[in-house]
Amino acid sequence: MKAKGVLHHHPFCPHSRGARAILLEAGIEFELKKHNPWDRVEDFLIINPTGTVPVFILDGAAIVGVHSISEFISDYLPRSERIKSLLPKSWQSHAENRRIRDWYETKFANEVSDPIILEHVYRRQMPANLGGGAPETEILRQAMQNLKPHLNYLDYLLEKTGWLIDERVTFTDLIVAAQLSCLDYFNLINWQENERIKEWYARIKSRPSFQPLLTDRIPGVTPPSYYTQFDF
Amino acid sequence: MKAKGVLHHHPFCPHSRGARAILLEAGIEFELKKHNPWDRVEDFLIINPTGTVPVFILDGAAIVGVHSISEFISDYLPRSERIKSLLPKSWQSHAENRRIRDWYETKFANEVSDPIILEHVYRRQMPANLGGGAPETEILRQAMQNLKPHLNYLDYLLEKTGWLIDERVTFTDLIVAAQLSCLDYFNLINWQENERIKEWYARIKSRPSFQPLLTDRIPGVTPPSYYTQFDF
């Protein structure tokens, strides 16, 4: 497994960002290839019929979705001390870690991050015949309303140790923080009201694996000044 | 890990059935506890705030969802030859196996099995104030229309070896077959038109791990006569 991988991603897809962060954190070499989730590119659909990103290609195999990429890293990388230190400690922690990852990758994504990114990013770029156009304010309002209880839940999860599981960072912390980073680009998170989440996010932001995610820009949309700062 | 587990499930939840089949196949001892996904039971929501089944409880840990239960079995069971023979052979097969599992557990479930079970099973039993009542025929019609391309895709996946991956049964075959079994109870699959799927499903039906799933009944709804038969 020495070949260089290719990560098919969209720079503002909340799931792609998580995949990118954990691959960087794991020290796996890869190049990025941008894919618009709404483009029906036949070669891409053969690899992944759902048409979604992220897809990680390695040695001719396609690893589809952030769950699978995360499980792949846990299973198949030579278990260096470094990788081991990023995985949950016990099978019980692993189960809880997967539950939290699923919560953010499905429930949070369905209720908050996917609709927000669809309205704020994708629909601006999509052709009109595929649903492109101005953001639907009612969908955004609903997603923002859903964000509040989700942040309360995140705060609760972080209460015990300051991390999602055990007392150290895992790949799931990076995956969840990657979701938040997409919202933060649009200044949608009130950090003053969420002090514990802010501290956790600052610690993740300061990791070299996370910084590259914050360099992407949307022409015409400037993120808040603190977006890339560790101390904000 | 000698303790007996508890599987919180609903007998007609397509996901619970998959969990039940793979736990039986893996030879893990457990008892069943029925949970209605629409009941807001506080003790259950503490374990799994989404309120969904299946949840497998073992040694005080909660393993939520069929993905996590499947990964748990792969990771933490003593690797007997038997378990090894039920897992994909290589990391490439594992990646493809997870992609297929995700496809059925999310895309197929969203588009076909979850709405069908909601309308045919849950809404009959739910109190009216939670959405109970007669099935919405338009939702059922749409789900049945979605079923066709999904069966075509399943046929395509089975074409090479007669199994979903490699050339033998894996936990994912059981998970996918469990989804179909819920539809088959309502006689919704045209087996005559899907010969290859039928053969595959017959082989899975004949496994001792699968038979207990087919013993559950809904009062007043009789499954087709071939429902439990291996040769149909």
Side-chain angles (χ1 to χ4, degrees):
Chain A
M1 211 183 300
K2 292 270 180 251
K4 198 174 174 184
V6 175
L7 182 68
H8 292 268
H9 83 132
H10 186 287
F12 285 88
C13 158
H15 315 278
S16 296
R17 282 198 172 199
R20 200 168 153 192
I22 65 177
L23 287 167
L24 287 167
E25 189 77 40
I28 297 174
E29 266 198 87
F30 64 96
E31 57 181 272
L32 289 169
K33 212 163 180 174
K34 188 181 166 191
H35 177 80
N36 294 325
W38 60 90
D39 283 342
R40 313 305 289 168
V41 179
E42 205 178 327
D43 286 353
F44 188 77
L45 290 174
I46 290 170
I47 299 170
N48 176 24
T50 52
T52 51
V53 279
V55 176
F56 186 55
I57 307 288
L58 191 69
D59 281 343
I63 311 174
V64 175
V66 72
H67 292 309
S68 288
I69 296 169
S70 180
E71 297 292 346
F72 161 75
I73 294 174
S74 313
D75 282 1
Y76 293 101
L77 270 196
R79 288 293 177 87
S80 62
E81 284 307 310
R82 188 179 142 66
I83 297 287
K84 264 190 259 172
S85 77
L86 288 155
L87 294 174
K89 288 180 173 176
S90 62
W91 67 266
Q92 290 91 338
S93 301
H94 228 123
E96 176 65 357
N97 199 271
R98 288 190 176 111
R99 186 188 70 75
I100 296 171
R101 191 183 67 200
D102 281 356
W103 176 282
Y104 285 94
E105 281 298 306
T106 58
K107 197 167 165 64
F108 179 78
N110 288 340
E111 296 176 358
V112 182
S113 60
D114 282 345
I116 285 176
I117 294 305
L118 177 63
E119 297 301 326
H120 270 313
V121 184
Y122 296 163
R123 295 191 61 231
R124 283 169 189 267
Q125 301 175 7
M126 283 157 81
N129 65 331
L130 294 179
E136 297 259 11
T137 50
E138 179 49 29
I139 292 176
L140 287 172
R141 197 195 57 76
Q142 185 61 54
M144 284 306 293
Q145 198 163 311
N146 294 340
L147 175 60
K148 282 178 203 173
H150 275 292
L151 289 178
N152 290 346
Y153 186 57
L154 183 54
D155 184 78
Y156 162 80
L157 290 171
L158 296 171
E159 200 176 333
K160 231 193 259 171
T161 70
W163 299 103
L164 292 175
I165 201 80
D166 299 336
E167 66 289 339
R168 64 191 190 195
V169 66
T170 66
F171 291 117
T172 298
D173 292 87
L174 293 164
I175 289 167
V176 175
Q179 293 255 3
L180 293 194
S181 75
C182 293
L183 308 186
D184 196 35
Y185 188 90
F186 298 97
N187 203 359
L188 299 177
I189 298 172
N190 185 331
W191 295 111
Q192 277 57 55
E193 280 181 8
N194 293 284
E195 197 57 42
R196 202 190 329 261
I197 300 174
K198 183 182 168 184
E199 279 173 26
W200 164 82
Y201 187 60
R203 270 176 277 141
I204 291 176
K205 249 193 196 180
S206 71
R207 298 181 82 82
S209 67
F210 207 79
Q211 293 167 27
L213 276 57
L214 305 177
T215 60
D216 286 306
R217 292 290 176 274
I218 298 170
V221 184
T222 310
S225 56
Y226 60 77
Y227 176 66
T228 57
Q229 290 163 19
F230 314 150
D231 193 13
F232 61 107
Chain B
M1 212 184 294
K2 292 270 180 250
K4 198 174 174 185
V6 175
L7 182 68
H8 293 267
H9 84 132
H10 186 286
F12 286 87
C13 157
H15 315 279
S16 296
R17 283 199 171 198
R20 202 168 151 192
I22 64 176
L23 287 168
L24 285 167
E25 188 76 39
I28 298 174
E29 266 197 86
F30 63 98
E31 56 181 274
L32 289 169
K33 214 165 181 175
K34 188 181 166 191
H35 176 81
N36 294 324
W38 60 89
D39 282 342
R40 314 304 287 168
V41 179
E42 206 177 325
D43 286 354
F44 188 78
L45 291 173
I46 290 169
I47 299 170
N48 176 23
T50 51
T52 52
V53 279
V55 175
F56 185 56
I57 307 287
L58 191 69
D59 282 344
I63 312 175
V64 174
V66 72
H67 292 308
S68 288
I69 295 169
S70 180
E71 297 292 345
F72 160 75
I73 294 173
S74 313
D75 281 1
Y76 293 102
L77 270 196
R79 287 294 177 88
S80 62
E81 284 309 310
R82 188 179 142 65
I83 296 288
K84 263 189 261 173
S85 77
L86 289 156
L87 294 173
K89 287 180 171 176
S90 63
W91 67 266
Q92 289 91 339
S93 301
H94 228 122
E96 177 65 355
N97 198 270
R98 287 188 177 113
R99 186 188 70 74
I100 296 170
R101 192 182 67 201
D102 280 357
W103 176 282
Y104 286 94
E105 281 296 307
T106 57
K107 198 168 166 64
F108 179 78
N110 288 339
E111 295 176 359
V112 183
S113 59
D114 282 346
I116 285 176
I117 294 306
L118 177 63
E119 297 302 326
H120 270 313
V121 184
Y122 297 163
R123 294 190 61 231
R124 282 169 189 266
Q125 300 175 7
M126 284 157 79
N129 66 330
L130 293 178
E136 297 259 13
T137 50
E138 179 49 30
I139 292 177
L140 287 172
R141 198 194 57 76
Q142 184 61 55
M144 284 305 295
Q145 199 164 310
N146 295 339
L147 174 60
K148 282 179 204 174
H150 275 292
L151 288 177
N152 291 344
Y153 186 56
L154 182 55
D155 184 76
Y156 163 79
L157 291 172
L158 296 172
E159 198 176 334
K160 232 194 260 169
T161 70
W163 299 103
L164 291 176
I165 201 81
D166 299 336
E167 66 289 339
R168 64 191 189 192
V169 65
T170 66
F171 290 117
T172 298
D173 291 87
L174 293 165
I175 289 168
V176 175
Q179 293 256 3
L180 293 195
S181 75
C182 294
L183 308 185
D184 195 35
Y185 188 91
F186 297 97
N187 202 359
L188 299 177
I189 299 172
N190 185 332
W191 295 112
Q192 277 57 55
E193 279 182 11
N194 293 284
E195 198 56 44
R196 201 190 329 261
I197 300 174
K198 184 183 168 185
E199 278 174 27
W200 164 82
Y201 187 60
R203 271 176 275 140
I204 292 177
K205 250 194 198 178
S206 71
R207 298 182 82 82
S209 67
F210 207 77
Q211 293 167 26
L213 276 57
L214 304 177
T215 60
D216 286 306
R217 292 291 176 274
I218 299 171
V221 184
T222 310
S225 57
Y226 59 76
Y227 176 64
T228 56
Q229 290 164 18
F230 314 151
D231 194 12
F232 62 105

